[in-house]
Amino acid sequence: MRTAPLLAALLLMAPPALAQTEPQPSSPQVQPQPQAQPQPQGQPGPQAQPQPEAQPAAQPQPQAQPQGQAQPQPQPQVQACTTPTDPAGFPAWLDNFKKDAAARGIGAQGMAALDGVTYDPKVIGLDRAQRKTFSQTFEEFSGRMVNAYRIKRGKQVIKKYQAVFDKAEAEYGVQAPIIASLWALETDFGANVGKFESIRSLATLSFDCRRGDKFRPELIAALTIVDKGDVPLHEMRGAWAGEIGQVQFMPTSYLKHAVDFDGDGHKDLVKSQADVIGSVAKFLSGRWQRGAGWNPGEPNFDALKAWNGSELYRKTVALLATKIAE
């Protein structure tokens, strides 16, 4: 979940900064009366001089408020959403969302994707139960992820689609082993794309209070993909957070980075291996240094942050790519 495919690292939106509690006056301030110099705390002051009866010691006066300006009210603290939104409200929310989607230009084919969509409690359960996927050591994580099957399969895939990989490197500068490594780690080259209905997952997460602002643009993007005909609705399946296709792009990333690399008129990251290869290369190309290395300490290791911010994940991608390249 991500602009890049991050299954367990989507961030909550930061709460807005609290407004200043001190008002900004629009008229001159009332000049305060001279006050006695304060004494350091804990130190006895000089003996107070008696004041004439007509001149009692002045008491500190509160600062005058500019005329017509309301007293500042304490600002409420932003509370984290810990309880999922009541599913009973989902149908009404969906009706309102349909109006918004239509206003944003989603056509009939995209709008039809929302027909019959229901709330998915399993998605909310997975979202609320996320664990720190990358809390393992590098040895533990890479030992499980960089295996003989992925190394062998990566070599085979590069050989099979050598011309497409060469085209991707020529256009975007990204080498074949890195593309193959990401493809392997995300879905084992399309073997495990996930079984969740993308539109249903995104609608459920958009409705829920925890990250609704994060997922509503993703739902609009997913409807746009269906509306364009790039991916048929029945093929819009993936992981529980709405990722799509063989390299698990979030819908907004799909719209931004997917390319029609096989020239069939569609950007299909579900079934087209050529589109997958070209799209991964395009995604990384913004920060990628052509011909440079990808291991820790080399220029393109940091470029992998665009895909996943976890250093553990990036080190694993780099290791698998190096093994595939051998």
Side-chain angles (χ1 to χ4, degrees):
M1 338 168 160
R2 45 192 174 252
T3 49
L6 302 176
L7 299 182
L10 291 173
L11 302 178
L12 297 176
M13 295 187 67
L18 298 179
Q20 292 183 359
T21 57
E22 289 295 332
Q24 299 300 315
S26 56
S27 58
Q29 299 260 352
V30 175
Q31 294 298 322
Q33 298 299 317
Q35 302 293 322
Q37 293 296 321
Q39 299 299 321
Q41 187 172 0
Q43 298 296 323
Q47 182 75 26
Q49 297 297 318
Q51 300 293 324
E53 284 188 16
Q55 300 292 329
Q59 297 297 319
Q61 299 297 317
Q63 185 175 353
Q65 295 295 325
Q67 188 173 1
Q69 182 163 328
Q71 292 284 345
Q73 298 298 319
Q75 298 295 320
Q77 296 295 321
V78 177
Q79 299 295 324
C81 171
T82 56
T83 303
T85 307
D86 186 354
F90 182 78
W93 175 87
L94 186 61
D95 286 341
N96 287 329
F97 183 84
K98 288 179 179 179
K99 296 175 184 176
D100 182 53
R104 291 173 181 269
I106 302 299
Q109 185 166 276
M111 293 299 297
L114 293 172
D115 292 344
V117 171
T118 58
Y119 179 88
D120 190 345
K122 187 175 181 180
V123 166
I124 295 299
L126 289 167
D127 181 55
R128 297 306 176 103
Q130 286 186 93
R131 297 179 179 179
K132 293 183 178 180
T133 305
F134 305 130
S135 62
Q136 305 166 63
T137 66
F138 172 66
E139 289 73 19
E140 292 170 335
F141 186 72
S142 64
R144 181 167 56 88
M145 304 299 285
V146 180
N147 54 46
Y149 166 78
R150 286 176 173 153
I151 296 168
K152 179 180 179 180
R153 182 65 178 145
K155 293 176 183 292
Q156 293 172 340
V157 165
I158 291 175
K159 184 177 181 179
K160 182 176 182 179
Y161 300 105
Q162 187 68 63
V164 182
F165 281 107
D166 289 346
K167 178 184 175 183
E169 184 169 1
E171 291 194 20
Y172 300 111
V174 181
Q175 300 96 315
I178 279 291
I179 299 173
S181 177
L182 289 167
W183 197 358
L185 292 173
E186 291 295 338
T187 66
D188 278 327
F189 304 98
N192 300 300
V193 298
K195 298 181 179 180
F196 285 86
E197 297 176 9
S198 301
I199 300 297
R200 186 186 186 197
S201 293
L202 291 168
T204 299
L205 292 165
S206 296
F207 165 71
D208 187 54
C209 61
R210 191 166 95 87
R211 294 189 290 178
D213 289 343
K214 172 78 175 178
F215 282 100
R216 281 187 285 276
E218 299 294 348
L219 179 54
I220 290 290
L223 296 176
T224 302
I225 294 167
V226 175
D227 206 36
K228 288 182 174 183
D230 284 335
V231 181
L233 179 60
H234 70 275
E235 293 179 358
M236 288 281 284
R237 294 177 179 273
W240 63 265
E243 300 92 336
I244 301 169
Q246 296 191 33
V247 281
Q248 298 289 280
F249 275 13
M250 290 299 290
T252 53
S253 292
Y254 199 116
L255 290 180
K256 185 176 181 180
H257 299 292
V259 294
D260 176 18
F261 227 49
D262 59 12
D264 69 351
H266 296 292
K267 300 172 182 179
D268 184 0
L269 303 188
V270 175
K271 294 187 299 183
S272 171
Q273 289 79 12
D275 290 0
V276 167
I277 293 167
S279 298
V280 173
K282 182 176 184 293
F283 187 102
L284 293 174
S285 64
R287 298 174 60 183
W288 200 264
Q289 294 188 31
R290 187 179 294 269
W294 54 70
N295 286 300
E298 297 179 315
N300 286 323
F301 182 72
D302 282 344
L304 288 169
K305 286 181 180 178
W307 190 278
N308 192 307
S310 166
E311 182 177 352
L312 176 62
Y313 185 87
R314 287 182 286 129
K315 287 173 69 175
T316 302
V317 171
L319 176 61
L320 179 56
T322 298
K323 294 288 186 182
I324 291 172
E326 290 176 349

